[in-house]
Amino acid sequence: MVTRREALVNDVLIPVVLGFTAAFLFAASAALQRRAVIRAADTDARHRAATHRLPVLWLLRRMLKQRLWLLGWGTNLTGFASQATALHFGSVALVQPLLVTQLLFALPMASAAVRRWPSLRDWLSALAITGGVALFLAVEGAAPLGGEPDRGRLILALFIAVVTVAVLVQAAQLAGPLLFTALIAASAGICYAMSAAMMKLTADSLAQRGVLATALDWPGYTLAVTTTCGLLLGQQAYASGSLSAAIAVMSIVNPGASFAVGVLAFDGHLSTDAGPLAAVAAAGALLVLGAFGLAHSPAVRLESRSTATHGVYPVRAKVSDSVDTQAHAVGKFHGTQSRNGARTRPRTRPGG
């Protein structure tokens, strides 16, 4: 017979500890992979990566040779294992909000890169975002992926996601480092949300129809594509600007997009009760306050400017203009110096 204390340990303590462990590992993985991508970019002496819309794609082969990047992947897999074990012992409603705390772990890791400890406003902003997302996830019915999916509507949701990601990536090309990071991170969050939906379909298909039927169906392949796109966009977001800002945006967009997919394709229903509506409103207010605070954080802006100089931020026109301007300035300087020298020598010779 299981005692009350043993039940408390199994149902609450173990999932909570493993959930926080997973959050820490996910943040550490992002920090390690970010540093590895920047190292790979530093070997790109001619900054060719910066001429691409997503420089991380051009740097992919160099990243695969980085032990630090592989260590980051290993840390990420360990985080997934911790999350899976936590979900085995505890409920989704308990574990998933805990994972949002990776932003709190990522904040000092990101600040370490610019050797500037987070200010009180940064901590309060991160706490607001973490609390807002956790409150949203704790509301019953949030991100509803239960029930029988409508495949026609799911295809429509997938189409909307593809168009949205394409628009965000295109818009990011005209943005500065901080906004670029936010837009790419939002794209990654949408991909992760679609990946969760496809994972739900694939898992149900494996359980009900078997391996062969699942292999002949499209959701499994869509799962691979959406997961890969999410991972690559996530890498770009981590390495092109602020790590904490990227994680904050993904933490907000992922559950929000999952909620939209659940309502559209999984027959999810919006709650009209006063309690859930108040909780969602409070969560939204916290998210807005936290996002505003991080967007105006000097540490976040300093981190974004610092990262943008390492070739992981696509500045095709800006890089070209900068190079041309520098070359013109150098040429003008040498030309002026040469003309001054030519004028000086004739004047000194007669007087010599």
Side-chain angles (χ1 to χ4, degrees):
M1 181 177 179
V2 179
T3 64
R4 184 177 179 181
R5 182 177 180 180
E6 290 175 340
L8 181 63
V9 170
N10 291 335
D11 297 341
V12 178
L13 183 59
I14 292 178
V16 167
V17 172
L18 289 173
F20 281 127
T21 301
F24 171 78
L25 291 172
F26 287 145
S29 170
L32 289 171
Q33 290 173 336
R34 165 192 164 86
R35 185 174 300 180
V37 176
I38 293 176
R39 281 188 183 180
D42 284 340
T43 64
D44 177 22
R46 299 180 63 182
H47 295 285
R48 293 181 179 179
T51 64
H52 294 258
R53 292 178 180 272
L54 295 173
V56 72
L57 295 177
W58 195 87
L59 294 168
L60 187 58
R61 286 188 300 176
R62 302 187 184 206
M63 289 156 49
L64 291 172
K65 297 178 182 179
Q66 292 270 353
R67 292 183 179 179
L68 191 63
W69 192 77
L70 297 175
L71 177 61
W73 270 116
T75 305
N76 195 41
L77 292 176
T78 307
F80 275 118
S82 298
Q83 178 187 3
T85 308
L87 289 171
H88 172 72
F89 284 99
S91 65
V92 174
L94 173 63
V95 175
Q96 291 303 105
L98 297 176
L99 298 179
V100 188
T101 58
Q102 65 177 297
L103 176 58
L104 300 179
F105 293 116
L107 187 61
M109 295 179 187
S111 298
V114 292
R115 298 180 180 180
R116 180 170 182 168
W117 186 251
S119 65
L120 178 60
R121 183 174 66 176
D122 295 341
W123 283 113
L124 292 176
S125 300
L127 280 171
I129 292 174
T130 301
V133 176
L135 182 60
F136 177 77
L137 292 176
V139 175
E140 185 177 359
L145 294 181
E148 190 66 26
D150 185 322
R151 291 205 169 198
R153 291 186 177 184
L154 189 58
I155 292 175
L156 175 61
L158 185 62
F159 174 76
I160 294 173
V162 170
V163 172
T164 304
V165 168
V167 170
L168 290 175
V169 171
Q170 180 60 32
Q173 308 306 311
L174 305 175
L178 184 57
L179 182 56
F180 175 86
T181 299
L183 293 173
I184 297 299
S187 301
I190 293 173
C191 290
Y192 286 138
M194 294 308 305
S195 178
M198 296 303 151
M199 189 180 299
K200 168 68 176 173
L201 259 68
T202 303
D204 290 347
S205 180
L206 282 171
Q208 299 171 8
R209 302 169 59 193
V211 176
L212 181 60
T214 303
L216 297 176
D217 207 358
W218 59 268
Y221 300 99
T222 309
L223 169 62
V225 173
T226 54
T227 302
T228 301
C229 290
L231 290 173
L232 289 174
L233 288 169
Q235 293 289 311
Q236 180 65 71
Y238 294 150
S240 58
S242 168
L243 175 63
S244 51
I247 291 179
V249 172
M250 277 188 272
S251 298
I252 295 171
V253 173
N254 188 353
S258 294
F259 182 84
V261 173
V263 171
L264 177 62
F266 284 81
D267 198 25
H269 298 283
L270 295 173
S271 176
T272 57
D273 295 337
L277 288 177
V280 170
L286 287 172
L287 292 176
V288 170
L289 288 173
F292 183 83
L294 279 186
H296 291 80
S297 165
V300 168
R301 291 183 174 274
L302 177 61
E303 185 190 1
S304 298
R305 288 195 300 268
S306 174
T307 307
T309 62
H310 289 274
V312 285
Y313 167 62
V315 284
R316 291 181 299 278
K318 297 175 186 177
V319 168
S320 299
D321 292 344
S322 175
V323 171
D324 293 342
T325 302
Q326 291 177 3
H328 177 72
V330 171
K332 184 177 180 180
F333 171 77
H334 286 300
T336 303
Q337 188 179 46
S338 177
R339 287 193 298 272
N340 288 342
R343 292 172 183 171
T344 301
R345 281 192 293 272
R347 290 177 182 177
T348 55
R349 283 177 184 174

